[in-house]
Amino acid sequence: MTKDERFVIFASSLGTVFEWYDFYLFGSLAGIIGAQFFGVIDPATKLPMFNQATRDIFALLAFAAGFIVRPFGAIVFGRVGDIVGRKYTFLVTILIMGLSTFIVGILPNAATIGIAAPIILIGLRLLQGLALGGEYGGAATYVAEHSPPGKRGYYTSFIQTTATLGLFLSLLVILFTRTILGEPEFAAWGWRVPFLVSVVLLGVSVWIRLRLNESPVFQKMKDEGKGSKAPLTEAFGNWNNAKIVLIALLGGVMGQGVVWYTGQFYALFFMQSILKVDGYTANLLIAWSLLLGTGFFVFWGALSDKIGRKPIILAGCLIAALTFFPIFRMITTNANPTLEKAIESVKVEVVSDPALCGDLFNPVGTRVFSTPCDTARAYLASSSVKYSTSYGAAGSGVKVVVNGKDVPYTAAASNPQVLAAVQAAGYPKAGDAQIVKMAHPFDIFRPQVAAVIGLLFVLVLFVTMVYGPIAAMLVELFPTKIRYTSMSLPYHIGNGWFGGLLPATAFAIVASTGDIYAGLWYPVIFAAITVVIGIFFLPETKDVDIGAN
């Protein structure tokens, strides 16, 4: 690798790390940001400033905005990148992302400026999603077009580390700030520090990227007058290319997206929301697994130069689909053994008049359950209690049965009888001594902690298998003049929609079924579909000459 090639990879990767850092801050601090902008109490009336319907709408928009608009960012900036050039396009995307993030850090909350606060916040989140939709394709294409033949998997794999490094950096900055300020100060104002720090990273990233030259493959095409004047039409209006876009999505990126989000994001959500591991410990456990696993992005990318992209990506999807259930069960065994025993030994039923039971599937969290059957099941699901639903006679009302004993049920907000009954039967109490807990960042050598990190590392290893070679494969599937546009759209649909919406959808499946593992069917099914489609339709691309088309 020459000095110039190293600089290209470093500059492209650093900027992309920064963009992922910005994007993940919102997700990592969603609870605090929600309280600041959506759940503020009016000090005069002691009531929420916004009614339930308004809060629900804002919560939905804030959650979905960054993910939903990513494919649109891919279309907008992909077109610009194929017409104007790679370098200038990802300079624009990094400026949009960086400034949007910095403004979040100085944005007054709802208690100060009222309804304008969540509206502006959602607008900034939309800009972040648009920018990220244009960033990845530009960086991956730029690096690939600087790579020598036989090295594209290796060179582009450094771009693949950036999403994980961005998440890792955001977790570290948040943990450091929380530790220095303490939780009360962090919740009050310290959460703004990670957003404000990003302006320094923005300045460094822009300065470095300004020193880059245009991609030689793109420049050669422009000099020869072979560029596209209508990349969107050529990319998606021409069936020969649109067909490849669909195959790339369904036979590659869709499975990669769900495996990635399961291994990094749903694993964190599962530990915190279902296994009741405290946030400090859960973030440290994920951070350690990422630290141990990140180098494997480069390993699999380099290996794909020798044996191909397709076998590694599809093998990662297949292995993940076959092993997600046992791995998550082992995480439960080690992280919260009391809960595991309770799930196996305690039988909880909600017995109700069928007319009182509706559908609990609520992936965006905006529905308000009101019937006793629904509130009882929602309460049990939020308490990580495995339950089944039985139907009694019409007009029989609702009761919760714990190991054959009827328990009085009132409303989901206050159920001391139900809580006491399930805990007496064996479910863990809050702060149970057997739940994994880390005393400090280097408290990793105790068997319980080491076992959980090891299992999370295996999940990260799956992530590296499917994600390490994907950039090279996408670049090689499409011709130079429409490459930026064509590769960006399937990537951001696969990751932004199939992957980004996974955690909330998976937990909605858990809540509606009463089984803490049922949400894993989401990634298992989509990863399996990708394996089948990929085997039959996805071409191998490692020997493609990307400068010849």
Side-chain angles (χ1 to χ4, degrees):
M1 191 182 294
T2 67
K3 180 180 178 181
D4 287 344
E5 289 168 345
R6 283 196 299 270
F7 180 71
V8 164
I9 292 172
F10 172 72
S12 301
S13 299
L14 181 65
T16 309
V17 167
F18 163 64
E19 293 218 27
W20 282 113
Y21 165 83
D22 283 0
F23 194 75
Y24 289 145
L25 280 180
F26 191 98
S28 300
L29 297 173
I32 292 175
I33 291 174
Q36 292 279 336
F37 292 92
F38 307 128
V40 178
I41 303 297
D42 188 330
T45 64
K46 308 299 182 184
L47 297 173
M49 293 187 69
F50 309 127
N51 62 34
Q52 184 65 47
T54 303
R55 293 202 304 273
D56 288 346
I57 291 169
F58 282 134
L60 169 60
L61 290 173
F63 165 76
F67 293 108
I68 297 300
V69 301
R70 278 171 58 179
F72 299 101
I75 291 171
V76 171
F77 291 109
R79 179 180 182 277
V80 175
D82 282 328
I83 293 175
V84 178
R86 290 41 167 142
K87 170 187 171 178
Y88 295 105
T89 304
F90 65 32
L91 270 173
V92 172
T93 61
I94 201 169
L95 281 168
I96 293 173
M97 176 69 84
L99 292 175
S100 299
T101 302
F102 177 73
I103 293 170
V104 171
I106 61 174
L107 180 64
N109 62 18
T112 306
I113 61 173
I115 200 168
I119 291 174
I120 295 171
L121 181 69
I122 291 167
L124 294 170
R125 183 70 171 160
L126 287 168
L127 287 173
Q128 286 185 327
L130 286 170
L132 190 58
E135 165 66 20
Y136 175 84
T141 300
Y142 187 80
V143 171
E145 291 178 348
H146 276 86
S147 304
K151 292 286 186 181
R152 279 192 297 271
Y154 173 57
Y155 279 35
T156 58
S157 65
F158 287 94
I159 293 292
Q160 303 308 88
T161 67
T162 59
T164 296
L165 290 173
L167 172 61
F168 186 72
L169 180 62
S170 71
L171 292 177
L172 283 183
V173 173
I174 290 168
L175 285 170
F176 178 78
T177 309
R178 268 189 157 125
T179 302
I180 296 296
L181 298 178
E183 196 60 35
E185 291 297 309
F186 184 83
W189 62 270
W191 63 271
R192 297 181 182 273
V193 173
F195 289 92
L196 298 175
V197 165
S198 70
V199 76
V200 178
L201 301 175
L202 172 64
V204 173
S205 300
V206 170
W207 176 72
I208 291 175
R209 284 195 173 183
L210 283 170
R211 298 172 58 196
L212 293 173
N213 297 314
E214 186 52 84
S215 151
V217 174
F218 180 84
Q219 193 61 54
K220 177 175 178 289
M221 179 196 71
K222 292 288 284 185
D223 293 343
E224 294 173 352
K226 296 179 179 178
S228 173
K229 290 184 171 60
L232 293 180
T233 301
E234 291 189 45
F236 310 121
N238 179 341
W239 173 242
N240 289 331
N241 194 76
K243 176 178 64 176
I244 301 300
V245 171
L246 281 174
I247 292 171
L249 170 61
L250 302 177
V253 187
M254 180 176 71
Q256 170 260 302
V258 297
V259 171
W260 177 25
Y261 274 80
T262 302
Q264 291 190 185
F265 299 101
Y266 188 63
L268 177 61
F269 180 88
F270 183 81
M271 286 193 296
Q272 289 183 283
S273 297
I274 296 176
L275 302 186
K276 308 303 181 185
V277 178
D278 69 271
Y280 177 82
T281 297
N283 280 294
L284 280 176
L285 292 169
I286 290 290
W288 273 106
S289 69
L290 296 178
L291 183 64
L292 295 172
T294 296
F296 284 91
F297 287 109
V298 179
F299 171 80
W300 295 114
L303 184 63
S304 75
D305 287 324
K306 296 178 172 58
I307 68 172
R309 327 297 184 200
K310 177 176 173 175
I312 296 174
I313 293 169
L314 297 186
C317 288
L318 179 61
I319 296 169
L322 293 174
T323 60
F324 272 156
F325 278 100
I327 288 174
F328 274 81
R329 285 192 173 96
M330 286 189 282
I331 291 174
T332 303
T333 300
N334 288 278
N336 193 338
T338 306
L339 177 62
E340 182 195 38
K341 292 174 184 175
I343 288 171
E344 293 175 353
S345 61
V346 180
K347 184 179 180 180
V348 179
E349 284 183 286
V350 177
V351 182
S352 173
D353 174 351
L356 301 178
C357 292
D359 179 15
L360 289 190
F361 188 67
N362 184 27
V364 295
T366 59
R367 291 172 56 196
V368 178
F369 301 113
S370 57
T371 66
C373 177
D374 291 347
T375 57
R377 292 183 298 157
Y379 175 78
L380 292 170
S382 67
S383 302
S384 302
V385 175
K386 182 178 181 180
Y387 70 86
S388 60
T389 305
S390 301
Y391 298 118
S396 59
V398 176
K399 63 181 177 180
V400 177
V401 182
V402 180
N403 283 344
K405 296 180 180 179
D406 292 359
V407 180
Y409 175 75
T410 53
S414 56
N415 272 285
Q417 299 99 326
V418 174
L419 182 61
V422 295
Q423 290 179 346
Y427 273 89
K429 297 179 180 179
D432 183 277
Q434 291 194 50
I435 299 175
V436 65
K437 187 174 181 64
M438 294 179 68
H440 54 79
F442 296 97
D443 181 20
I444 60 174
F445 299 106
R446 289 185 292 117
Q448 184 185 27
V449 175
V452 176
I453 291 175
L455 291 164
L456 295 173
F457 166 73
V458 173
L459 294 178
V460 172
L461 195 60
F462 297 161
V463 173
T464 63
M465 284 186 72
V466 299
Y467 198 52
I470 201 81
M473 184 198 78
L474 289 171
V475 167
E476 292 159 350
L477 279 172
F478 303 105
T480 303
K481 63 180 181 178
I482 55 172
R483 178 171 293 137
Y484 199 147
T485 303
S486 298
M487 72 161 288
S488 294
L489 186 64
Y491 175 83
H492 286 292
I493 291 177
N495 287 280
W497 292 3
F498 286 99
L501 302 179
L502 182 150
T505 305
F507 184 68
I509 296 172
V510 170
S512 61
T513 60
D515 181 352
I516 69 170
Y517 303 111
L520 294 170
W521 283 113
Y522 179 113
V524 166
I525 289 171
F526 283 115
I529 291 172
T530 289
V531 172
V532 174
I533 295 175
I535 287 173
F536 291 104
F537 299 105
L538 186 68
E540 181 52 66
T541 61
K542 76 178 180 69
D543 296 320
V544 169
D545 180 1
I546 65 171
N549 52 20

